[in-house]
Amino acid sequence: MMEMVQEYGEVDKIFETAPLSFSEEIWQHRGTAHPIECRGAVGRYDPVSDTITLWSSTQMPNLAHSYIVKVLGLNENQVRVITPDVGGGFGPKFLFYSEELVVALASKLCGRAVKWAEDRREHFVAAVQERDQYWKAEIALDQEGMILGVRGHLIHDHGAYTAQGITLPYNAAATIPGPYKVPNYRMQQSLVFTNKVPCAPVRGASHPQGTYVMERLVDRAAKEMGIDRADLRLKNMIKGEEMPYKKPLKTRAGVNIEYDSGDFPKAMNMALDACEYSNFKERQETARSKGRHIGIGMSLGVKGTGRGPFEMATVRVGTSGKISVYTGAAPMGQSTHTMMAQIVAEHLGGDLDNIEVIAGDTQSIPMGMGGFGSRQAITAGSSAHIAAQEVRKKVLTVAAQLLEASEQDLEIEGGEIVVRGTDIRLPLGKVANAVAGTPGYALPGGVDPGMESTQRFLTDPLAYCYSAHCCEVDVDIETGAVKFERYVIVHDSGNLMNPMVVEGQIHGGVAQGLGQVLGECVVYDDDGQLVTGSFMDYMMPRADDLPNFKVDYTVTACTHNDLGVKGCGEAGAIASPPALINAVIDALSPL
């Protein structure tokens, strides 16, 4: 067992003198939406070059590369890791597993290509899981409903091993205050080892747990005090005009939690209006008179995104005129190729068909952090943005010399440089060829060889996205079945580069969060043996279990990157569980 604590303020003194305090005991079971994404790898050894190539469904190709090099005692040029279209990661693939090493080594020892693909049962018992925590939390308020403090104790079930250290309990405890002003805070954390499958981050990385605890405390306090749940939230929320807002807690990287931009009350009010919250009491009374039990729940979740320290990107214009983008980002279903191409196209002609994005290949990019923590657009996207700007400058400089024109008169359209107001055009390939070098001949004046730029966008502070959710349900008290009447999400990811992609990520996150409320649960018997080892026992949500989502946005640009973007992949999974559970509890409150 390991103990740690996160705190600030005079917690015990506040609770001794607080007019009101309420407590909740909460168990959050293991339930993950990743068993559909089984792992696999193929290794192949080339005796001529003495190299191993590993194709692996990993979120971290460069990290996997470094592990193989270190453990097998090879040099960097003897190993290549390629991440194909893995379909989805959800967090469990952000680990280096022993099977990947065994496949790489076996291919060399036997001189044959070696393939490994796990089945569902293996995935349940060998890949990591999450969400297994036990909480006792308490909230203190004054007579007007202003939060004075929060304290509690978290027991985190680590499973049999520590796959990624204290990440999960630390994140959970640091998330508790969320969008609210909490002047005094303490959360004790006990990390315990058991004989269960190891715990490691799954979509949201314990932010759903912390958000859930706080949203339950606020609902509980509102009920006990006879205050409207929305009013209590809005009263205690950090206001838009108070941004940037720094909290006393720090991220696990040692940087203060600081919300650089946002408007939490605006998002919550938009969600409440879309759910017609103002007349819900009348609708609820009418439904109850007819024997129906409807309820409404709300929550607001905040998620730090864009974890650093960096991501690498190279933008290159070839002599063919084709634009290539190489990145250490690891695509796993979040449209990274599209996002990167859009960013580069904005600076280099706007033709997406002329841009090829190469990601997840250690031969192309020697350094990279991979995909996790809703970081790709912020880190890799910012690197590509800066690199594309540099390449654009060079393209125009060289083209101006070749065309004997002013740089200010040039524009890049599609695959050509155009002199404004004329029919004069120069293909991108010819500009790139001019700096590719010809033996014995000088380059155009004042430029270096090659039409490319490599950038590593560095970032320490996180970019905080957030979502306000409002959920209305109808609960059948005979069967326990939950029917969704409406589900509204108001989300802020800063500037939206591709709204369709963002909405898809939100839908996926909400589906995962709701699934873990409605039925997903990893169950062990009293001896620690896994009971839910297949989809016969583990309930994944189906299409008819989920509602139609209404999604709207507030847009407050992030100030930590030039793109003004915040991540979006995990936000839906964070705010959805408390919204649904609060709605069910409200529906069943007369009982």
Side-chain angles (χ1 to χ4, degrees):
M1 178 184 289
M2 175 182 175
E3 299 283 345
M4 60 183 186
V5 63
Q6 290 171 262
E7 65 179 325
Y8 58 85
E10 299 178 322
V11 181
D12 290 334
K13 181 179 178 181
I14 289 296
F15 273 87
E16 288 171 5
T17 59
L20 300 164
S21 65
F22 310 100
S23 63
E24 283 270 294
E25 289 193 43
I26 297 168
W27 170 49
Q28 297 174 323
H29 59 73
R30 293 180 178 224
T32 61
H34 69 266
I36 55 171
E37 299 294 349
C38 290
R39 301 167 296 142
V42 175
R44 187 178 66 188
Y45 174 68
D46 181 1
V48 176
S49 60
D50 190 24
T51 58
I52 297 172
T53 301
L54 180 75
W55 290 265
S56 177
S57 59
T58 179
Q59 295 172 223
M60 40 175 274
N62 288 91
L63 220 52
H65 176 272
S66 65
Y67 283 137
I68 295 171
V69 166
K70 182 177 180 179
V71 176
L72 298 186
L74 304 173
N75 67 56
E76 287 76 9
N77 296 319
Q78 290 179 285
V79 179
R80 179 184 183 186
V81 176
I82 301 172
T83 300
D85 187 357
V86 301
F90 298 107
K93 293 178 183 176
F94 188 65
L95 286 174
F96 183 69
Y97 291 94
S98 57
E99 292 91 344
E100 293 169 285
L101 180 65
V102 169
V103 167
L105 179 58
S107 69
K108 181 174 183 178
L109 293 178
C110 70
R112 299 282 298 276
V114 176
K115 177 182 178 180
W116 160 69
E118 67 180 359
D119 60 25
R120 303 297 184 199
R121 173 74 181 178
E122 288 174 319
H123 194 86
F124 273 105
V125 299
V128 295
Q129 301 168 354
E130 216 225 288
R131 311 294 201 247
D132 212 345
Q133 295 178 349
Y134 306 78
W135 298 73
K136 184 172 183 180
E138 189 175 11
I139 188 170
L141 307 97
D142 63 20
Q143 296 286 5
E144 283 70 46
M146 297 303 298
I147 296 173
L148 300 175
V150 173
R151 66 181 179 183
H153 183 209
L154 154 65
I155 300 175
H156 172 74
D157 187 337
H158 243 324
Y161 306 98
T162 303
Q164 284 196 352
I166 62 172
T167 294
L168 294 175
Y170 192 100
N171 283 356
T175 300
I176 290 281
Y180 305 107
K181 298 176 186 176
V182 180
N184 301 277
Y185 177 71
R186 181 175 70 236
M187 188 60 61
Q188 294 176 298
Q189 297 146 75
S190 300
L191 290 61
V192 299
F193 289 104
T194 67
N195 58 352
K196 297 179 182 177
V197 173
C199 262
V202 173
R203 196 177 198 169
S206 264
H207 290 78
Q209 292 95 303
T211 300
Y212 176 69
V213 171
M214 189 64 185
E215 292 297 315
R216 282 299 309 134
L217 286 173
V218 174
D219 254 36
R220 174 71 184 276
K223 179 180 178 181
E224 297 292 343
M225 297 176 69
I227 299 176
D228 182 85
R229 292 173 290 161
D231 290 344
L232 186 59
R233 283 176 166 82
L234 293 168
K235 179 181 293 188
N236 286 282
M237 272 184 186
I238 300 162
K239 306 297 188 293
E241 57 268 23
E242 296 176 286
M243 299 292 183
Y245 189 93
K246 182 177 288 188
K247 297 212 166 197
L249 291 173
K250 293 186 176 182
T251 70
R252 65 177 188 267
V255 180
N256 264 99
I257 294 175
E258 182 175 8
Y259 303 151
D260 69 295
S261 64
D263 194 331
F264 302 146
K266 179 181 179 180
M268 180 58 75
N269 279 318
M270 287 173 62
L272 294 171
D273 290 344
C275 257
E276 300 182 23
Y277 182 74
S278 60
N279 64 21
F280 177 73
K281 285 295 182 185
E282 291 80 5
R283 290 189 283 119
Q284 189 177 47
E285 290 175 4
T286 300
R288 285 175 179 171
S289 68
K290 299 178 181 179
R292 293 174 56 225
H293 290 73
I294 67 171
I296 199 166
M298 66 201 74
S299 68
L300 194 146
V302 186
K303 175 66 172 67
T305 66
R307 289 193 180 275
F310 75 94
E311 196 53 81
M312 190 171 175
T314 295
V315 176
R316 178 183 302 146
V317 179
T319 56
S320 66
K322 190 77 172 180
I323 301 168
S324 300
V325 184
Y326 304 91
T327 177
M332 49 189 176
Q334 68 280 65
S335 299
T336 298
H337 289 86
T338 302
M339 174 269 293
M340 298 285 281
Q342 281 187 253
I343 291 172
V344 173
E346 184 177 352
H347 301 292
L348 294 173
D351 183 4
L352 290 176
D353 291 333
N354 193 42
I355 297 173
E356 182 181 14
V357 178
I358 298 91
D361 186 343
T362 61
Q363 184 169 280
S364 302
I365 288 287
M367 301 174 66
M369 299 288 105
F372 64 96
S374 302
R375 68 188 300 270
Q376 309 281 53
I378 296 168
T379 55
S382 293
S383 295
H385 170 68
I386 299 168
Q389 287 179 317
E390 293 297 313
V391 172
R392 176 185 174 85
K393 291 177 185 176
K394 193 170 185 180
V395 165
L396 296 180
T397 297
V398 174
Q401 295 184 45
L402 297 176
L403 294 170
E404 298 182 349
S406 169
E407 290 183 35
Q408 287 70 36
D409 293 333
L410 302 182
E411 189 53 76
I412 306 175
E413 294 180 1
E416 298 177 317
I417 295 88
V418 179
V419 181
R420 293 190 185 95
T422 74
D423 294 329
I424 300 174
R425 294 174 175 270
L426 184 66
L428 268 176
K430 285 194 174 182
V431 179
N433 190 68
V435 290
T438 302
Y441 291 86
L443 293 171
V447 296
D448 296 325
M451 190 61 72
E452 68 176 59
S453 175
T454 297
Q455 299 292 330
R456 302 167 184 85
F457 175 73
L458 294 169
T459 180
D460 288 321
L462 298 178
Y464 288 88
C465 74
Y466 56 91
S467 286
H469 291 218
C470 190
C471 171
E472 183 178 332
V473 298
D474 187 336
V475 181
D476 186 328
I477 62 171
E478 297 297 328
T479 66
V482 176
K483 178 184 176 183
F484 289 94
E485 296 296 325
R486 64 184 81 192
Y487 199 105
V488 174
I489 305 141
V490 177
H491 180 79
D492 192 328
S493 271
N495 294 331
L496 303 181
M497 288 189 293
N498 191 317
M500 183 172 66
V501 169
V502 173
E503 184 159 338
Q505 289 293 300
I506 293 169
H507 283 194
V510 176
Q512 180 164 345
L514 298 182
Q516 291 175 219
V517 174
L518 294 171
E520 291 191 51
C521 184
V522 177
V523 180
Y524 295 83
D525 64 20
D526 292 340
D527 296 320
Q529 296 299 309
L530 184 67
V531 175
T532 49
S534 74
F535 287 147
M536 294 293 290
D537 313 300
Y538 183 93
M539 194 203 105
M540 291 288 290
R542 304 183 307 181
D544 59 350
D545 293 318
L546 300 172
N548 288 320
F549 303 119
K550 175 178 172 56
V551 182
D552 204 349
Y553 302 94
T554 60
V555 177
T556 54
C558 178
T559 62
H560 296 321
N561 62 79
D562 290 344
L563 296 171
V565 297
K566 309 170 186 177
C568 64
E570 299 165 289
I574 291 167
S576 49
L580 174 53
I581 287 183
N582 286 339
V584 171
I585 290 175
D586 182 50
L588 302 180
S589 57
L591 306 179

